mmCIF file of all heavy atoms in Angstrom:
data_model
loop_
_atom_site.group_PDB
_atom_site.id
_atom_site.type_symbol
_atom_site.label_atom_id
_atom_site.label_comp_id
_atom_site.label_asym_id
_atom_site.label_seq_id
_atom_site.Cartn_x
_atom_site.Cartn_y
_atom_site.Cartn_z
ATOM 1 N N PRO A 302 65.732 23.926 93.022
ATOM 2 C CA PRO A 302 65.893 23.854 91.563
ATOM 3 C C PRO A 302 67.195 23.152 91.196
ATOM 4 O O PRO A 302 68.219 23.321 91.871
ATOM 5 C CB PRO A 302 65.914 25.326 91.137
ATOM 6 C CG PRO A 302 66.356 26.071 92.341
ATOM 7 C CD PRO A 302 65.812 25.322 93.518
ATOM 8 N N PRO A 303 67.250 22.349 90.171
ATOM 9 C CA PRO A 303 68.483 21.650 89.760
ATOM 10 C C PRO A 303 69.520 22.626 89.208
ATOM 11 O O PRO A 303 69.172 23.684 88.663
ATOM 12 C CB PRO A 303 67.991 20.689 88.673
ATOM 13 C CG PRO A 303 66.755 21.333 88.130
ATOM 14 C CD PRO A 303 66.110 22.036 89.296
ATOM 15 N N ILE A 304 70.816 22.272 89.409
ATOM 16 C CA ILE A 304 71.901 23.125 88.900
ATOM 17 C C ILE A 304 72.010 22.945 87.391
ATOM 18 O O ILE A 304 72.136 21.825 86.903
ATOM 19 C CB ILE A 304 73.236 22.753 89.569
ATOM 20 C CG1 ILE A 304 73.114 22.919 91.082
ATOM 21 C CG2 ILE A 304 74.372 23.606 89.034
ATOM 22 C CD1 ILE A 304 74.351 22.460 91.829
ATOM 23 N N PRO A 305 71.981 24.042 86.638
ATOM 24 C CA PRO A 305 72.081 23.927 85.175
ATOM 25 C C PRO A 305 73.401 23.286 84.756
ATOM 26 O O PRO A 305 74.434 23.442 85.413
ATOM 27 C CB PRO A 305 71.977 25.380 84.697
ATOM 28 C CG PRO A 305 71.354 26.126 85.830
ATOM 29 C CD PRO A 305 71.805 25.434 87.076
ATOM 30 N N ALA A 306 73.370 22.577 83.642
ATOM 31 C CA ALA A 306 74.578 21.925 83.129
ATOM 32 C C ALA A 306 75.649 22.953 82.787
ATOM 33 O O ALA A 306 76.853 22.717 82.966
ATOM 34 C CB ALA A 306 74.236 21.076 81.911
ATOM 35 N N ALA A 307 75.225 24.134 82.300
ATOM 36 C CA ALA A 307 76.196 25.177 81.939
ATOM 37 C C ALA A 307 76.976 25.642 83.169
ATOM 38 O O ALA A 307 78.187 25.892 83.104
ATOM 39 C CB ALA A 307 75.473 26.359 81.302
ATOM 40 N N ALA A 308 76.261 25.757 84.305
ATOM 41 C CA ALA A 308 76.945 26.184 85.530
ATOM 42 C C ALA A 308 77.949 25.131 85.975
ATOM 43 O O ALA A 308 79.050 25.455 86.439
ATOM 44 C CB ALA A 308 75.917 26.443 86.629
ATOM 45 N N ILE A 309 77.585 23.854 85.856
ATOM 46 C CA ILE A 309 78.508 22.773 86.239
ATOM 47 C C ILE A 309 79.754 22.801 85.361
ATOM 48 O O ILE A 309 80.891 22.679 85.835
ATOM 49 C CB ILE A 309 77.796 21.412 86.136
ATOM 50 C CG1 ILE A 309 76.632 21.354 87.135
ATOM 51 C CG2 ILE A 309 78.782 20.275 86.386
ATOM 52 C CD1 ILE A 309 75.823 20.088 87.026
ATOM 53 N N ILE A 310 79.541 23.006 84.054
ATOM 54 C CA ILE A 310 80.679 23.051 83.119
ATOM 55 C C ILE A 310 81.564 24.258 83.421
ATOM 56 O O ILE A 310 82.802 24.162 83.410
ATOM 57 C CB ILE A 310 80.167 23.094 81.678
ATOM 58 C CG1 ILE A 310 79.434 21.775 81.345
ATOM 59 C CG2 ILE A 310 81.318 23.327 80.707
ATOM 60 C CD1 ILE A 310 78.776 21.771 79.989
ATOM 61 N N ALA A 311 80.929 25.410 83.715
ATOM 62 C CA ALA A 311 81.705 26.614 84.016
ATOM 63 C C ALA A 311 82.531 26.425 85.275
ATOM 64 O O ALA A 311 83.708 26.835 85.340
ATOM 65 C CB ALA A 311 80.764 27.811 84.173
ATOM 66 N N THR A 312 81.954 25.787 86.287
ATOM 67 C CA THR A 312 82.694 25.538 87.532
ATOM 68 C C THR A 312 83.886 24.619 87.279
ATOM 69 O O THR A 312 84.990 24.837 87.805
ATOM 70 C CB THR A 312 81.758 24.915 88.575
ATOM 71 O OG1 THR A 312 80.645 25.795 88.786
ATOM 72 C CG2 THR A 312 82.492 24.702 89.886
ATOM 73 N N ALA A 313 83.663 23.581 86.476
ATOM 74 C CA ALA A 313 84.761 22.656 86.163
ATOM 75 C C ALA A 313 85.881 23.374 85.401
ATOM 76 O O ALA A 313 87.067 23.143 85.655
ATOM 77 C CB ALA A 313 84.223 21.481 85.351
#
Side-chain angles (χ1 to χ4, degrees):
I304 301 175
I309 297 176
I310 295 174
T312 303

